[in-house]
Amino acid sequence: DAGITQSPRHKVTETGTPVTLRCHQTENHRYMYWYRQDPGHGLRLIHYSYGVKDTDKGEVSDGYSVSRSKTEDFLLTLESATSSQTSVYFCAISEADRGRNIQYFGAGTRLSVL
Amino acid sequence: GNSVTQMEGPVTLSEEAFLTINCTYTATGYPSLFWYVQYPGEGLQLLLKATKADDKGSNKGFEATYRKETTSFHLEKGSVQVSDSAVYFCALSDRETSGSRLTFGEGTQLTVNP
């Protein structure tokens, strides 16, 4: 158990509303990631963080923002949700800061934008 | 840029059949290669990995060999079980890319029938 908790696990929202997903880790890892999973695309990186207040864009970052004010929490925000953002979102942490290039994943958040 | 290509699914096998899921990659550096597995309703779990050419990763009866000459990392298992039914993802991490980000293939759905 890599100590990763995502909340909420399920959410239904309407187009145009803001949505924030939370990822919480208990292992004090430096690197954290947000991916989205869609059929036919595997997982695609949205944003990642390499420390408190240090974040960078992934390959599908448009329409998303992130924040990391504490080591343990990495927030993903959809400022104005669209139907194309209906997806399953996964948070991950990496042990790269401890010499092991392995990522561990949370259980996911299923988001539906109506 | 980096990319991973997996054989198209879904794959349906009978119990005790031999499994091969093909994975090829393109990378600018010297990547580490991974297979992740996702059981229904869960996040991804690391199945096995290899960090350099000719390395063989193995776990739970699954094996994959890092073939630099063919840029491949095919997943094999000699005798599948019903409990192996899941989605399998091939992925790479390029050490030259900051943040140890993962690039995933599309995923291959495996169903094993009794």
Side-chain angles (χ1 to χ4, degrees):
Chain A
D1 183 0
I4 304 169
T5 305
Q6 290 187 233
S7 59
R9 293 292 316 279
H10 303 272
K11 185 166 183 68
V12 180
T13 191
E14 294 185 350
T15 299
T17 60
V19 177
T20 295
L21 308 183
R22 179 179 183 244
C23 179
H24 178 80
Q25 60 146 330
T26 59
E27 303 295 322
N28 205 36
H29 289 293
R30 180 181 168 195
Y31 293 100
M32 298 184 75
Y33 310 81
W34 277 108
Y35 294 89
R36 60 179 288 174
Q37 183 181 21
D38 303 290
H41 291 279
L43 274 76
R44 292 178 292 174
L45 182 66
I46 304 171
H47 282 278
Y48 69 101
S49 171
Y50 43 95
V52 172
K53 293 187 169 52
D54 288 325
T55 64
D56 206 348
K57 296 178 179 180
E59 61 181 306
V60 290
S61 59
D62 287 349
Y64 302 94
S65 62
V66 290
S67 65
R68 186 135 178 238
S69 58
K70 298 185 291 185
T71 298
E72 58 264 37
D73 288 327
F74 191 32
L75 304 181
L76 177 71
T77 298
L78 291 65
E79 301 289 349
S80 178
T82 68
S83 58
S84 64
Q85 294 175 312
T86 292
S87 187
V88 182
Y89 291 86
F90 288 99
C91 174
I93 60 92
S94 170
E95 294 191 326
D97 51 350
R98 296 173 193 178
R100 282 161 47 88
N101 189 17
I102 296 173
Q103 289 191 19
Y104 296 93
F105 288 79
T109 295
R110 185 174 295 276
L111 176 67
S112 295
V113 183
L114 305 179
Chain B
N2 298 334
S3 67
V4 176
T5 302
Q6 288 182 232
M7 68 183 289
E8 293 185 11
V11 174
T12 301
L13 297 173
S14 298
E15 205 164 25
E16 299 184 3
F18 184 85
L19 169 70
T20 299
I21 301 178
N22 290 337
C23 171
T24 57
Y25 68 89
T26 302
T28 53
Y30 299 93
S32 295
L33 301 174
F34 306 85
W35 277 100
Y36 280 83
V37 58
Q38 183 181 32
Y39 298 103
E42 298 183 10
L44 278 70
Q45 303 174 24
L46 178 66
L47 181 59
L48 54 84
K49 72 181 182 84
T51 57
K52 62 183 187 296
D54 300 324
D55 269 1
K56 178 185 284 189
S58 61
N59 186 25
K60 299 181 181 179
F62 291 89
E63 294 183 340
T65 301
Y66 188 143
R67 301 288 189 197
K68 189 168 185 293
E69 63 276 12
T70 55
T71 61
S72 64
F73 193 55
H74 304 322
L75 182 69
E76 297 181 336
K77 186 174 186 183
S79 176
V80 294
Q81 305 301 312
V82 172
S83 57
D84 293 327
S85 297
V87 181
Y88 292 82
F89 292 93
C90 186
L92 71 82
S93 177
D94 186 342
R95 299 186 193 97
E96 296 186 358
T97 303
S98 63
S100 298
R101 290 171 284 173
L102 285 173
T103 300
F104 285 90
E106 305 87 356
T108 300
Q109 173 78 55
L110 170 66
T111 301
V112 181
N113 294 319

